[in-house]
Amino acid sequence: MNYVVLIAVILYEIVSIVGVGLLVARKDKHKVHQEGSFAFAGGGLPASLVGITLALTLLGSAHNWGTCQNAASMGVIAVWFGIACVVMMVVITQVTGPWMRRTGAKTSGEFLGKIFGKTSGRLISCINAALIIGMCCLEVETIAVTFSSLTGWSYTVGAVVGGIFAVLYVLLAGMKEIAWLNLINAILMYVSLIAVFICLCFGLPGGWDAVEATMKASQDTAWMTSLFGNSALIIGFAIPTALGASLFHGVAQTGYQPIVTAKDNKTVKKSLWFAGPINGCFCIIPALIGLAAFSLVAYNKYGSMMMTPMMLVELLPKPVLGLLMAGFLGVDLSSFAVMALAPATIISNDMYTLYRKDATEKQKTLISRVCIVIIGVVSILVCNFQPAVVEMVNWSFSFGVPIFVMVIIGLWWKISQKASIITFVVTWIAVCIWSTFGLQSYLGLANFHVTYIALICSLVVGIITTAVLPGRPGLFRKSTSLAQRV
Amino acid sequence: MAMCGMTALSTIIIVFAITALGIVIGKFNKFGDSDSIVGEEEQK
């Protein structure tokens, strides 16, 4: 057990949470309390904070330990996950985020309700909440990896301790505090990754040249050393990741939560300069260190998820290991925080208010906090049974594709609640039949990603049903027509 | 180290290219520049 490193990492997390919490509380003490501060940071954040919060909200387990795990099967091509996320940032900041803000919606549930009606909006919110809770489980999985590698505890014990830590992290901070913590963790994370890379230049047996030579020694692994080494993976992994991530987070609460905190739409658009590069470049070093772990036979016995952390625990000097673990843990905690806040906010703002129309902000905050604890418990229980992190994330994203397609149709063409529900249900069934129930394997189309199926289904069913079924003009179609008449 | 250098350089170039392209796409989205709420426009 690395006692010193473990204590240093936990101390860092506690000091940073408490310190930032006190600073924000002192700053807000003399200001009038703003409604929605816990979940929405009261609005008014500048482009840098919005961009960094967005980058780190959507940067978590799939980027750090998930990419290391992915590198064991696809080498440096794992970096494409980060590149695909830049496309997602473009969609959120330049297209859907500003549009959603123009409807006045505070949550994605509210936005979807304006297009599809309250019932359909809540149905989608329920599906999104369930998928996001699944992603919270992935975050707890990687938090467990950090604790397990530092302590030598079993993965299950690591998950319990890590899950409790994650819930406390969320409960102690609201959105504004998490925004500032993200900034601090962003700097720590990048500094630590660069330090890790430099240390491994000396720590790896034979250095990075030996890693490259080992991989290139066999035709079976030589392609793993190039970003463009396997076109099948570009088609079967990189492009579906870009599509799925963009279409899911483009209209989901996870992408919208940081956007709604911006001062105005111009700030949202400017935030891409921060969000894109910070998120997109992150996967470079995790992919390289994952490939290094894969190239060293001694660590293969730990399996694809644990081989990289075990290699780092053995090869890195303790201060650098501590920096890395603190940074990774900070990132996974902040992703868990915002992902846990997303369904909690949906439940407290969109669903609790059905029961209590006059619910106060204090009551909604209490409901949010209770939901966060429940999500933490579920995440701890489920995280032991997850498939590979990136694979699970991409599967989840495919459920968001029909929602995105019908949102675009509902904004700019025609709103038809029946067409939307038919499109959602048919596409979700198709996704399940293709991936979960094995049609993809049966047909031998391993490279035809489930996201492509979701997109084809959504477009075909969505367009046909919208054309045939009655509806009313799209939300923005009315507005632009009015503007032209004026 | 050549592998590391090429991977990093290629990624950074692609990321900034997509970001710049995204900003250009954003410029075409004039509807997204305004902050006025869509429903409120119709009431005026």
Side-chain angles (χ1 to χ4, degrees), chain A residues 71-135:
Chain A
S73 61
M74 57 176 77
V76 299
I77 293 174
V79 173
W80 279 100
F81 187 85
I83 297 172
C85 288
V86 185
V87 177
M88 172 182 66
M89 297 299 173
V90 168
V91 170
I92 291 172
T93 59
Q94 307 303 306
V95 183
T96 56
W99 289 350
M100 290 168 79
R101 284 175 58 102
R102 284 211 63 188
T103 65
K106 278 275 183 275
T107 66
S108 67
E110 195 183 328
F111 167 72
L112 294 168
K114 285 176 191 277
I115 297 177
F116 303 120
K118 283 190 177 164
T119 308
S120 299
R122 287 192 182 107
L123 168 68
I124 297 162
S125 294
C126 290
I127 299 290
N128 274 344
L131 292 172
I132 292 166
I133 290 170
M135 291 187 196

Side-chain angles (χ1 to χ4, degrees), chain A residues 79 83 86 90 94 98-99 101-102 104 208-209 212 225 227 264-265 269 272-273 277 284 291 476 478-479 482, chain B residues 1-4 7-8 10-11 14-16 18-19 22-23 26 29 31-38 41-42:
Chain A
V79 173
I83 297 172
V86 185
V90 168
Q94 307 303 306
W99 289 350
R101 284 175 58 102
R102 284 211 63 188
W208 289 103
D209 288 335
E212 191 175 349
T225 60
L227 213 55
D264 51 36
N265 273 349
K269 288 187 174 183
L272 177 62
W273 284 117
I284 298 170
L291 187 63
F476 291 166
K478 275 192 291 185
S479 171
L482 182 71
Chain B
M1 279 302 266
M3 172 188 71
C4 300
T7 302
S10 306
T11 304
I14 295 170
V15 163
F16 276 94
I18 296 172
T19 302
I23 295 291
N29 179 20
F31 190 82
D33 282 339
S34 169
D35 289 293
S36 59
I37 305 296
V38 165
E41 285 174 352
E42 292 171 358

